[in-house]
Amino acid sequence: MSGTELAEAGRLLAAARRPVVFTGAGMSAESGVPTFRDAQTGLWQRYDPRELATPAAFRTDPALVWGWYEARRHGVRRARPNPGHLAVAAIRARLPETVVITQNVDDLHERGGVPAPVRLHGSLFAPRCSACARPAPLPSDLPPPAGPPVQHAGPEPHAPAPPDGPLTPPACAGCGAPVRPGVVWFGEALPEAALSAAVEAASTCDLLLTVGTSALVHPAAEIPLVAARLGAPVVQVNPVPTPLDAICAVNVRGPAGEVLPALVRAAWPDAI
Ligand code: APR
């Protein structure tokens, strides 16, 4: 990350009053939560999304899908918010009109101090019935969330190992159908309320900070475009170029856990 980019991004953040922070899987990478498309480590490099992240996959093999999400849920419970999550909370504390919009299904923004991010792709912690949509309780064997955020994030050392392999999903207490993970699968519509809140925020923001997304999955990837089209400057934080580069006022190349705290310090030297 170059000092010039950081200084310019800091100037834009200091001048903002209604920023949007838009995040993807890269936001949680330094907490030990895998992204989807990063070479070698990305989930879709290791697993076939057609077998795990579609309604058809769940109909075909509910135990395989439920087991996989259960393992991811345990993995997130073992993870802790990283300094990037804390910096997003610091921006919101400084600018109360900040809207945080996430594609992530982990709960690290909430545990990092942002109570209610706009969730475009659902949550690992909101299972519901696959037939009647009745909310279902979280499985009782889920370990409690790992300890407080730390400077050098990563898995909780002694947390129990996550389940590995197929697991029969619980039955809905109402209609008896299998319970499914509360995430948005490929081919499914985004939650209407969340999508319209995101478009509304992007349409009225005076800065959009996009962090850790490859911007390849639509319609979520259109949110930064909405802001740019309406004249708001867009600042991108990502170690590598993405399709958003061309619309960004500033591209800060680096990991969110390092760049975001530095960005907050650049905007408000007295902040941290
Ligand atoms: N800090 C910032 N960015 C990072 C970091 C990091 N430490 N590590 C990786 N990245 C970047 C990568 O360079 C990549 O551009 O984060 C991005 C992650 O991209 P994806 O894995 O494609 O994740 P995302 O954009 O969130 O995916 C969108 O796709 O699979 C679906 O529903 C799923 O919400 C997800 C959606």
Side-chain angles (χ1 to χ4, degrees):
M1 85 182 123
S2 88
T4 328
E5 289 159 353
L6 202 59
E8 176 54 12
R11 190 188 64 72
L12 290 168
L13 181 55
R17 289 297 163 269
R18 297 180 313 284
V20 158
V21 182
F22 177 70
T23 67
M27 181 80 232
S28 300
E30 293 149 272
S31 295
V33 179
T35 67
F36 295 93
R37 292 173 187 82
D38 280 335
Q40 277 95 46
T41 57
L43 290 171
W44 301 147
Q45 306 292 326
R46 295 181 280 148
Y47 303 97
D48 182 346
R50 287 163 303 184
E51 287 174 14
L52 292 163
T54 64
F58 187 71
R59 282 192 300 276
T60 308
D61 194 341
L64 178 73
V65 173
W66 182 258
W68 189 69
Y69 279 93
E70 198 52 11
R72 286 182 59 197
R73 197 168 24 217
H74 278 246
V76 167
R77 272 289 162 88
R78 294 162 51 138
R80 292 177 253 194
N82 65 57
H85 294 106
L86 305 186
V88 173
I91 292 171
R92 190 175 160 278
R94 193 99 198 196
L95 301 171
E97 290 183 69
T98 301
V99 176
V100 177
I101 302 168
T102 191
Q103 299 169 85
N104 299 345
V105 292
D106 63 49
D107 63 346
L108 295 176
H109 275 306
E110 287 90 336
R111 286 159 53 200
V114 174
V118 175
R119 295 196 151 280
L120 292 176
H121 293 161
S123 164
L124 284 170
F125 301 96
R128 66 176 190 271
C129 174
S130 58
C132 72
R134 176 189 175 126
L138 284 170
S140 56
D141 65 345
L142 205 60
V150 291
Q151 281 315 310
H152 302 295
E156 182 84 358
H158 307 300
D164 186 17
L167 211 54
T168 305
C172 169
C175 72
V179 168
R180 58 162 286 173
V183 302
V184 177
W185 282 327
F186 290 103
E188 291 189 314
L190 272 53
E192 230 173 283
L195 184 56
S196 57
V199 170
E200 169 64 24
S203 308
T204 55
C205 73
D206 52 9
L207 170 72
L208 186 137
L209 187 54
T210 176
V211 182
T213 182
S214 60
L216 294 173
V217 176
H218 291 261
E222 272 140 51
I223 297 298
L225 305 179
V226 170
R229 229 177 279 137
L230 292 162
V234 177
V235 169
Q236 177 168 229
V237 177
N238 197 313
V240 301
T242 77
L244 293 174
D245 277 41
I247 64 147
C248 291
V250 188
N251 288 297
V252 188
R253 299 269 183 256
E258 288 172 27
V259 172
L260 293 176
L263 180 57
V264 167
R265 285 193 298 275
W268 306 292
D270 63 323
I272 298 182

